Amino acid sequence: PSEDTEDSIETESMLGAAPIQTQPALAADPVDYSVAANDTVEIQINETLGHYAEWLDLRSDRLMKLNKMRRKQRLIVGRRLKLDFSHATAKRFEQLRIAYHQTLQLEYFRRYRIAGVLEHAIIAGDNLWMLAVQQYQIPMWLLRQYNPDIQVGSLLPIDSLIFVPVVVELPSHPPCVVEGTTEGPDRDA
């Protein structure tokens, strides 16, 4: 996708690098990161109440009260969460949320690359989390990108096929010598 599209909103990188594109750069990501008209969002993988509070410039206690949550209650991926936009706009919230997910994905692809795709036949007891994290050791978001029609909490029909990206770790870059000093990924700056 072109960086000049109207739908493209630039946000500051959470890594302090160049601006990050929002939805166009996440085009392979099937997740809808937008805020609904009733000020709710669908809870996504890797998100916490602390993230929402930070992106809204609020305390997490406010979100807990708004959603009638108890202290140790966990967020459930796929459920909706009511948000309070008294200190931030929905647009800014979406920008920060998308930047967060884009950063996770960019960091992952700095270490791994897709080497291929295999088909996995669903058997009794399979679920997306178990397949992604336990069996194939890939992030859930990556498995969802290859299977956009499957919802996180849905039952997987036995004998149906899902696509699983095969990832390989990239070789680490060896340190380089610059003016008598060693610089590289394993050296503190």
Side-chain angles (χ1 to χ4, degrees), residues 37-85:
N38 64 354
D39 290 343
T40 64
V41 291
E42 182 179 327
I43 299 166
Q44 298 300 329
I45 300 159
N46 295 322
E47 294 180 340
T48 67
L49 204 58
H51 288 123
Y52 298 125
E54 179 183 333
W55 301 332
L56 291 165
D57 197 22
L58 304 167
R59 293 179 48 88
S60 55
D61 292 351
R62 173 66 187 124
L63 292 174
M64 290 176 68
K65 183 177 180 180
L66 185 63
N67 289 280
K68 299 176 176 95
M69 295 174 67
R70 294 180 308 281
R71 269 266 171 238
K72 301 277 183 183
Q73 189 172 342
R74 294 177 181 244
L75 295 179
I76 298 173
V77 173
R79 292 221 178 133
R80 299 210 66 85
L81 188 75
K82 179 86 172 145
L83 303 176
D84 174 348
F85 290 102

Side-chain angles (χ1 to χ4, degrees), residues 120-136 138 140 143-144 147 150-158 160 162 164:
H120 174 92
I122 299 300
I123 60 173
D126 279 352
N127 65 59
L128 287 183
W129 183 87
M130 185 272 308
L131 291 172
V133 177
Q134 292 181 335
Q135 186 164 346
Y136 294 106
I138 61 172
M140 273 272 284
L143 186 60
R144 286 192 69 203
N147 300 278
I150 297 175
Q151 296 301 314
V152 173
S154 67
L155 294 175
L156 301 174
I158 293 176
S160 65
I162 64 166
V164 180

